[in-house]
Amino acid sequence: MKKLLFLLTLIGSFVVNAQDTGTISGLITDAKGVPLPGASVSIKIINKGAMTGFDGQYTIENVNVGTYIISISFIGYETSSKNILVTAGQTTQVDVSLKESDTVLDEIILTANKKPQKITDVPATVNVITAKEIEEFPSFNIGELAARQKGVDFVRSGVLGTGINIRGFNSAFNSKNLQVTDDRLSSLIATGLPLGSFSTVTKDDIERVEILLGPNGTLYGPNAHNGLVSTITKNPRTSEGTTFAIGAGNQSVLTARLRHAQVIDDKFAYKFHFERSQGTEYDYVDSVYVGTKAYKELDLDRDFDSQKYGASLYYKPSAGSELIGYYGHSNSNNIGATNAGRNQIKDWSIDEAQIKFVSKNFFANTYYTWSKTDDTYAMNQRTQNYVSFINNGFTEQEARERSLLEQWVPTGEGTGFSLPRGALFKDASKRFNAEAQYNNNWDEFYLTFGAQYQKDMADSDGTYLLDEGGIDLAQTGVYTQLEYKMEDSGWGFLLGGRLDNHDLYGSNFIPKAAITKKVNNGTFRVTYGKGIAVPSILNLKGNLFGGLVLGNGEGFTLKDGTKIAKLDVETINSYEIGFKGKLSDKLFIDTNAYYNQSDNFISPLVNVAGTATGNFVTHVGDTPIGEVVQGSNGAFILTYLNFGHVDTYGLDVGLNYYFSDSFRAAFNYSYFDRDLDLTDMANDGNLDGKVLESELPINTPNHKFSLGFHYNQGKFYGSIFGRFVQKYDFFSGINVAAKTQDMDGDGVNEIVENARVGRTWNYGQLGGFTVDANAGYNFTDNLSLGMSITNLFNAEVREFVASPVINTLISFELKYKINFFKNQAVATN
């Protein structure tokens, strides 16, 4: 009898619960009725929600009876809100069609907190290059779109080479802006430089690019120092079909691309891509000086090409989770500007393999990267080596063969000896990364914590690193971030911290804090963040030109017992205020002002040996110099040191005005300046007893602005974009681009425009005004033709050191899209 009463009571409780709760379900599609898998449907007040499945369907069960507001969001689309009534024991059907985002404030972004978040809620300045902008930009090099973003210093070194910098401290070897692609580091292993054109992804597979200004090291770790660039590729479930694209332009540019994505069923989907591009760089030669005579770069090859391919498999273990596998490959031949002259890149390949798991509360990611080249060389050093042999009677053939590894030093008539002055760069480096993260929220409280591990395995075969037996360096980071969002009052608070530990430069703590306040038409924010820029393996373990240049990962000892400290990290403490919002129904603003305190710069190469006094280097760390570099007596050792402090400050303003849904104007302005104490000898980077502006790699204009107009109506689209960069000086290693000036106040101009300066030719300051334009026409839903023009009026503008004037570039692109295997489950909806 007791058992029967218990069973009846249990059944009764289920009935009561069923009568007190209901279910919400529905279909989420785009404006064309195509289901959107992975859209977020949430009821914030009770912390319940769901993600749409393969077919765009969602279900939220056990919702207490009552009236609610549900929010539906998806990346690239406007967030939609609906008032609904949940009835006991019944299912409330809520179908929503989302509209593509037309305004900057409707954007949903992923990068700032590693989860979907409305851009107005992000306590940082964020630029977004959307899928629509990429689709309507008919050039194989989407890096050009970075020129249209606020707060970004965009530079172009040739037809192929583009790069960005954020808030100062640029150089020809800039690793202070972290770049990631689908949660993979997009940087070379030994140098830390961004992959750039070495990337394994292609234009047609890119969903969006998110650029965050300022330090973002708490979640992303070292080298998110001045900013972060995150590239996110398309999910095959929302981009099914096949794309064929061919392009052509001046400078003999040709490109061909293929992308295919297909949904197999509610569990599996896949995609793959391929690209082949080629062209010829501008007819420019960087002078190489031997003594007082200038020589052309030896065996300069201006032709460039690249091949890329990759594939991804997507598997959904459950409706709210996804497992993704990726493999990608690239192979490149081109010219690369560096702070020691230009490199001839020869068959440099990158391979990446990744497995990633994503769900509502858990994220896990692991990937492996390979870098490989055998024939890349430094043109400046090789040319010097070649000249040394030719000038001493060697044959052309022998001079060429030996120029990759040796330099000839004459001692008399017909006599001399060779020194190891290697110009050849080999690389067989590898990198392993892993990350796990948990995030959740309880009412207004949000928690994120995780850990990252990275192991760099550098291998140059002794060509440019002290890597006999290889170099293995590991680093581990543990982070947490807490947010408290008071929805009723609009206040938000964020506090985060990260502890990073590296085998060579030790432990560093990276904090972050922010306060936000929503108003009717926008959000105010106050933030603090710390960033660190770590020495690269090249800085720590370099061995160039036969031991003339050595990395400083262990410190040095001089003959008199003086200790030279090993390299530590550069640091930046950044304070920022900002506002994102509406000034009117059609005018949107995103503005900020910031103040940065930067310390511990990595110096230019400095000779730490007392060459004139005989106070030579005796030890590298605890190892005698002669054992580190065979035969070296330590009389001349160039290396890197930490030095200095500088305060920088500035502001960025971005305005977007919508004349109509199809016509928009965008205006961006940035100001940057610094406060350097020229009397503080801690700022003497080259230890010559004088503090000079050129020793700190600021290399950023004080003023820059841009104005663009974008039009998209019916089958036609187009834009025109003008960009002004105030003239500015640029110093990077041997490279100088600066106005005539007296650097040290002695009455003599050490820098002369349009003349030789040191080991390079100084063409004068960088910057100027250019106009770019693009336009296209969609003949059908499948076929389109577009044209892009860089430097429309052929202005004489030089944007980077050791680089040509950027003349007009014209490219055409024909694109055809079709879905051969349209999934039946999608078609029926």
Side-chain angles (χ1 to χ4, degrees):
M1 187 65 180
K2 290 181 179 180
K3 290 182 179 179
L4 180 59
L5 287 173
F6 175 75
L7 183 60
L8 291 174
T9 301
L10 188 62
I11 293 172
S13 67
F14 281 131
V15 171
V16 170
N17 284 339
Q19 291 174 344
D20 291 340
T21 64
T23 299
I24 305 169
S25 68
L27 171 67
I28 308 300
T29 66
D30 66 10
K32 296 179 181 179
V34 177
L36 293 176
S40 173
V41 184
S42 62
I43 311 172
K44 289 186 178 181
I45 195 170
I46 59 173
N47 192 28
K48 273 185 173 288
M51 302 287 285
T52 57
F54 146 80
D55 53 0
Q57 300 280 351
Y58 72 94
T59 300
I60 307 175
E61 298 178 329
N62 298 320
V63 180
N64 289 335
V65 171
T67 302
Y68 300 96
I69 298 175
I70 65 168
S71 177
I72 305 97
S73 62
F74 190 68
I75 295 174
Y77 290 78
E78 293 184 5
T79 298
S80 177
S81 296
K82 297 288 184 180
N83 290 304
I84 62 160
L85 175 65
V86 176
T87 305
Q90 297 186 18
T91 297
T92 302
Q93 185 76 15
V94 183
D95 297 336
V96 177
S97 175
L98 294 182
K99 180 183 177 183
E100 282 192 64
S101 176
D102 286 329
T103 67
V104 291
L105 299 184
D106 289 321
E107 285 286 349
I108 301 295
I109 69 166
L110 282 172
T111 303
N113 288 321
K114 292 193 173 183
K115 60 185 179 183
Q117 192 173 19
K118 194 171 182 179
I119 196 169
T120 50
D121 293 339
V122 176
T125 300
V126 184
N127 296 321
V128 179
I129 301 173
T130 66
K132 188 173 184 179
E133 290 175 291
I134 296 170
E135 178 76 17
E136 295 179 355
F137 189 70
S139 168
F140 73 96
N141 190 350
I142 69 163
E144 298 175 43
L145 288 172
R148 306 183 179 191
Q149 310 306 313
K150 62 182 173 295
V152 172
D153 294 323
F154 172 84
V155 295
R156 187 161 200 151
S157 59
V159 177
L160 184 68
T162 59
I164 71 168
N165 185 57
I166 297 170
R167 296 181 178 175
F169 308 104
N170 199 7
S171 77
F173 248 54
N174 186 4
S175 60
K176 292 184 177 65
N177 299 309
L178 189 67
Q179 299 195 13
V180 297
T181 301
D182 285 344
D183 302 296
R184 302 184 303 271
L185 288 182
S186 294
S187 61
L188 292 171
I189 297 159
T191 64
L193 295 176
L195 289 181
S197 61
F198 290 6
S199 171
T200 64
V201 302
T202 61
K203 170 190 171 183
D204 303 300
D205 195 40
I206 296 175
E207 175 69 28
R208 60 203 287 107
V209 180
E210 298 176 356
I211 304 174
L212 277 67
L213 309 188
N216 286 276
T218 304
L219 294 184
Y220 287 91
N223 288 343
H225 179 273
N226 285 0
L228 174 70
V229 181
S230 176
T231 300
I232 301 164
T233 66
K234 297 176 180 177
N235 189 308
R237 301 182 189 279
T238 55
S239 60
E240 192 178 38
T242 306
T243 300
F244 302 94
I246 56 173
N250 59 333
Q251 295 300 130
S252 304
V253 169
L254 293 171
T255 182
R257 303 190 306 273
L258 166 68
R259 179 188 183 269
H260 176 73
Q262 185 176 348
V263 178
I264 299 173
D265 55 28
D266 60 348
K267 292 291 185 182
F268 289 97
Y270 71 90
K271 64 179 181 179
F272 61 81
H273 61 262
F274 172 83
E275 176 184 309
R276 161 78 188 187
S277 297
Q278 64 185 50
T280 303
E281 278 293 354
Y282 293 108
D283 188 6
Y284 167 81
V285 178
D286 195 22
S287 298
V288 178
Y289 288 93
V290 179
T292 59
K293 187 175 180 180
Y295 294 84
K296 293 183 177 181
E297 296 161 308
L298 181 65
D299 290 343
L300 170 62
D301 183 359
R302 296 188 295 113
D303 292 337
F304 63 83
D305 64 74
S306 67
Q307 298 83 37
K308 305 177 182 183
Y309 56 80
S312 298
L313 178 64
Y314 288 66
Y315 171 69
K316 293 182 74 68
S318 65
S321 64
E322 194 156 44
L323 185 66
I324 306 164
Y326 171 76
Y327 170 75
H329 171 86
S330 72
N331 184 275
S332 302
N333 293 275
N334 57 272
I335 297 170
T338 79
N339 54 16
R342 303 201 298 175
N343 286 349
Q344 190 81 60
I345 309 297
K346 293 285 190 179
D347 286 321
W348 198 315
S349 65
I350 301 294
D351 292 85
E352 299 174 301
Q354 179 185 29
I355 297 177
K356 181 168 66 172
F357 174 78
V358 182
S359 69
K360 180 182 177 182
N361 301 117
F362 293 97
F363 170 83
N365 182 33
T366 182
Y367 58 97
Y368 203 80
T369 307
W370 301 263
S371 171
K372 180 70 173 177
T373 185
D374 289 317
D375 301 310
T376 294
Y377 59 87
M379 285 191 277
N380 191 291
Q381 185 63 47
R382 188 185 179 200
T383 304
Q384 293 180 57
N385 293 349
Y386 167 80
V387 170
S388 75
F389 285 103
I390 287 294
N391 287 351
N392 285 280
F394 288 83
T395 66
E396 175 77 10
Q397 181 179 350
E398 185 172 2
R400 285 181 176 275
E401 290 175 352
R402 299 181 70 175
S403 64
L404 287 168
L405 300 174
E406 304 170 81
Q407 187 175 100
W408 186 257
V409 180
T411 57
E413 187 67 33
T415 63
F417 62 94
S418 66
L419 286 176
R421 293 289 184 264
L424 184 67
F425 292 120
K426 295 186 177 183
D427 194 71
S429 300
K430 302 176 179 65
R431 176 190 286 143
F432 172 74
N433 293 78
E435 179 179 8
Q437 182 192 103
Y438 173 79
N439 63 82
N440 209 340
N441 74 288
W442 297 268
D443 296 327
E444 297 177 325
F445 181 77
Y446 295 75
L447 168 68
T448 300
F449 69 85
Q452 292 176 318
Y453 174 79
Q454 178 174 316
K455 184 176 182 179
D456 292 324
M457 296 157 277
D459 183 2
S460 76
D461 195 23
T463 57
Y464 68 96
L465 297 174
L466 293 167
D467 61 352
E468 184 177 348
I471 299 172
D472 291 353
L473 293 176
Q475 59 187 28
T476 305
V478 179
Y479 60 86
T480 189
Q481 183 168 284
L482 308 174
E483 293 180 83
Y484 186 67
K485 299 180 180 180
M486 303 169 66
E487 297 291 342
D488 292 339
S489 65
W491 286 96
F493 303 90
L494 181 148
L495 187 65
R498 179 190 184 95
L499 183 63
D500 235 69
N501 184 268
H502 187 277
D503 285 349
L504 281 187
Y505 54 78
S507 296
N508 288 273
F509 180 65
I510 308 174
K512 178 181 180 181
I515 299 174
T516 59
K517 177 66 170 75
K518 291 183 180 180
V519 294
N520 289 335
N521 295 315
T523 304
F524 289 94
R525 66 183 184 277
V526 179
T527 65
Y528 161 75
K530 181 177 180 179
I532 63 175
V534 305
S536 67
I537 292 178
L538 183 63
N539 293 141
L540 298 168
K541 292 289 187 178
N543 177 23
L544 288 85
F545 317 131
L548 286 181
V549 176
L550 293 179
N552 186 10
E554 300 173 78
F556 298 88
T557 303
L558 304 186
K559 187 176 179 180
D560 67 357
T562 300
K563 299 287 186 180
I564 306 295
K566 69 179 183 179
L567 279 180
D568 202 351
V569 301
E570 296 184 27
T571 64
I572 184 170
N573 288 282
S574 181
Y575 307 85
E576 181 174 328
I577 60 173
F579 173 76
K580 299 187 192 81
K582 287 185 179 182
L583 297 181
S584 70
D585 287 341
K586 294 186 176 183
L587 181 61
F588 300 82
I589 186 171
D590 186 353
T591 185
N592 67 74
Y594 58 89
Y595 186 84
N596 298 329
Q597 298 170 317
S598 299
D599 294 277
N600 246 14
F601 300 99
I602 296 176
S603 73
L605 287 170
V606 178
N607 180 21
V608 294
T611 304
T613 62
N615 193 22
F616 298 168
V617 170
T618 60
H619 289 77
V620 179
D622 297 325
T623 306
I625 184 68
E627 295 181 19
V628 176
V629 180
Q630 293 298 317
S632 175
N633 63 358
F636 189 85
I637 301 294
L638 292 169
T639 193
Y640 306 94
L641 306 175
N642 289 115
F643 79 103
H645 169 90
V646 66
D647 295 336
T648 59
Y649 46 90
L651 63 89
D652 303 302
V653 179
L655 297 170
N656 280 270
Y657 186 81
Y658 289 79
F659 297 95
S660 66
D661 289 343
S662 58
F663 185 39
R664 171 174 66 95
F667 173 80
N668 296 318
Y669 169 76
S670 292
Y671 169 75
F672 177 90
D673 210 342
R674 71 270 195 185
D675 183 10
L676 173 66
D677 186 352
L678 297 178
T679 66
D680 184 356
M681 296 314 297
N683 290 327
D684 180 16
N686 60 4
L687 303 180
D688 65 353
K690 303 171 185 176
V691 177
L692 302 177
E693 291 274 358
S694 61
E695 292 176 85
L696 284 173
I698 303 293
N699 296 335
T700 298
N702 289 116
H703 301 276
K704 58 181 181 287
F705 70 82
S706 63
L707 177 63
F709 295 92
H710 306 263
Y711 181 79
N712 188 316
Q713 180 68 45
K715 295 184 176 184
F716 176 81
Y717 62 85
S719 68
I720 189 165
F721 176 84
R723 178 168 61 105
F724 170 77
V725 176
Q726 184 187 31
K727 294 284 189 177
Y728 67 103
D729 293 344
F730 198 109
F731 298 91
S732 178
I734 70 168
N735 301 310
V736 176
K739 63 183 179 182
T740 299
Q741 57 192 288
D742 177 5
M743 298 293 292
D744 54 13
D746 63 357
V748 177
N749 289 328
E750 292 83 10
I751 305 296
V752 179
E753 192 171 348
N754 290 314
R756 178 184 174 184
V757 175
R759 293 173 55 195
T760 189
W761 186 268
N762 173 29
Y763 290 96
Q765 293 182 305
L766 305 180
F769 178 73
T770 57
V771 176
D772 302 336
N774 64 274
Y777 188 80
N778 297 302
F779 296 99
T780 67
D781 290 341
N782 304 96
L783 182 65
S784 65
L785 176 66
M787 179 180 69
S788 173
I789 305 177
T790 299
N791 196 359
L792 178 64
F793 301 112
N794 203 27
E796 187 171 338
V797 173
R798 194 180 302 271
E799 297 192 7
F800 206 53
V801 289
S803 301
V805 168
I806 305 302
N807 300 123
T808 299
L809 286 172
I810 303 175
S811 61
F812 295 88
E813 184 174 271
L814 183 67
K815 185 180 295 185
Y816 182 73
K817 296 189 292 185
I818 191 170
N819 193 343
F820 293 108
F821 308 101
K822 189 174 180 69
N823 189 278
Q824 293 302 309
V826 176
T828 57
N829 292 301

